[in-house]
């Protein structure tokens, strides 16, 4: 009797653990993994501003309802990966620098659509940059998208990984952009 009670209790706990809610936020933590791919010999003051109209990082569409999830510290995460990428490519980051490197987040979101036996995720990111000197400015918009499909319902970690990887790819594109590098050298 005692063994049966223990087994039933363990099964109930396993079932409840399987139904546990996922966290209410998306963890965005992109990391610049590339080495030096260009030479940026400048001292820069960087900043990141979130200009998205929809501040959700994950939009989950189920049959009859839509849930949205934000990402705490989004601008700090993007600034951290940007500073790391610029630094590894020769730039020095300083709040006292006279050249300002500003990033505007226009879009950064994954839209996950769940069906009965599958899910799809469409991630889009759009970052606008402005480099401001005393005598001239440079601005450009960088866009990227990624799609993911899988069986059953989505796994939050895979969606976070999709957004992190896409963010890393766009930051890599920024620090290796010949037009930007030419402007910084000039």
């Amino acid at each position: 009797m005692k063994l049966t009670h223990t087994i039933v209790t363990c099964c109930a706990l396993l079932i409840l653990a399987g139904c546990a809610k996922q966290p209410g936020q998306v963890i965005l933590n992109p990391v610049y993994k590339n080495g030096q791919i260009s030479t940026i010999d400048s001292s820069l003051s960087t900043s990141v501003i979130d200009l998205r109209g929809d501040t959700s990082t994950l939009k989950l569409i189920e049959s009859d309802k839509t849930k949205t999830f934000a990402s705490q510290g989004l601008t700090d995460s993007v600034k951290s990966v940007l500073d790391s990428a610029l630094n590894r490519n020769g730039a020095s980051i300083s709040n006292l620098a006279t050249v300002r490197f500003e990033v505007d987040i226009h879009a950064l979101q994954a839209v996950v659509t769940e069906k009965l036996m599958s899910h799809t995720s469409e991630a889009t990111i759009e970052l606008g940059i402005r480099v401001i000197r005393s005598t001239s400015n440079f601005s450009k918009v960088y866009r990227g998208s990624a799609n993911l499909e899988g069986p059953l319902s989505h796994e939050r970690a895979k969606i976070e990984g999709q957004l992190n990887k896409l963010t890393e790819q766009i930051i890599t594109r920024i620090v290796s952009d010949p037009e930007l590098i030419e402007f910084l050298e000039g």
Side-chain angles (χ1 to χ4, degrees):
M1 183 71 176
K2 199 170 194 181
L3 179 63
T4 306
H5 179 65
T6 304
I7 291 172
V8 169
T9 304
C10 287
C11 288
L13 288 173
L14 285 173
I15 289 170
L16 289 174
C19 296
K21 288 178 113 182
Q22 293 192 19
Q25 66 179 4
V26 177
I27 299 170
L28 189 69
N29 189 26
V31 177
Y32 182 74
K33 296 177 185 126
N34 291 322
Q36 184 170 359
I37 54 178
S38 59
T39 303
I40 302 171
D41 189 23
S42 296
S43 181
L44 305 170
S45 170
T46 60
S47 64
V48 177
I49 302 168
D50 188 355
L51 297 177
R52 299 175 300 155
D54 179 356
T55 58
S56 63
T57 307
L58 170 62
K59 187 177 284 190
L60 178 59
I61 301 170
E62 295 170 321
S63 59
D64 61 342
K65 59 186 173 206
T66 300
K67 297 178 186 172
T68 58
F69 303 90
S71 181
Q72 294 284 331
L74 177 69
T75 55
D76 293 336
S77 295
V78 173
K79 184 175 180 345
S80 175
V81 71
L82 174 69
D83 288 354
S84 175
L86 288 168
N87 205 307
R88 281 202 193 162
N89 285 282
S92 86
I93 309 301
S94 168
N95 290 336
L96 303 175
T98 58
V99 178
R100 294 193 339 245
F101 194 108
E102 300 175 349
V103 175
D104 295 334
I105 303 172
H106 297 252
L108 198 155
Q109 185 178 69
V111 177
V112 176
T113 305
E114 291 202 343
K115 298 181 179 149
L116 186 60
M117 296 301 287
S118 66
H119 71 277
T120 58
S121 172
E122 297 176 12
T124 56
I125 297 178
E126 181 177 300
L127 302 178
I129 67 156
R130 273 183 318 282
V131 180
I132 302 166
R133 290 187 166 153
S134 59
T135 58
S136 58
N137 297 331
F138 175 89
S139 62
K140 191 169 184 176
V141 175
Y142 299 84
R143 294 178 183 88
S145 62
N147 296 318
L148 186 109
E149 293 182 28
L152 305 173
S153 64
H154 78 286
E155 291 180 43
R156 182 74 57 88
K158 285 187 178 182
I159 305 305
E160 292 169 345
Q162 179 188 36
L163 285 169
N164 284 328
K165 184 176 181 182
L166 187 55
T167 303
E168 293 161 21
Q169 289 172 342
I170 291 176
I171 295 294
T172 300
R173 205 178 315 154
I174 291 171
V175 298
S176 62
D177 183 339
E179 287 180 295
L180 172 63
I181 294 166
E182 184 180 325
F183 178 80
L184 290 170
E185 288 174 351

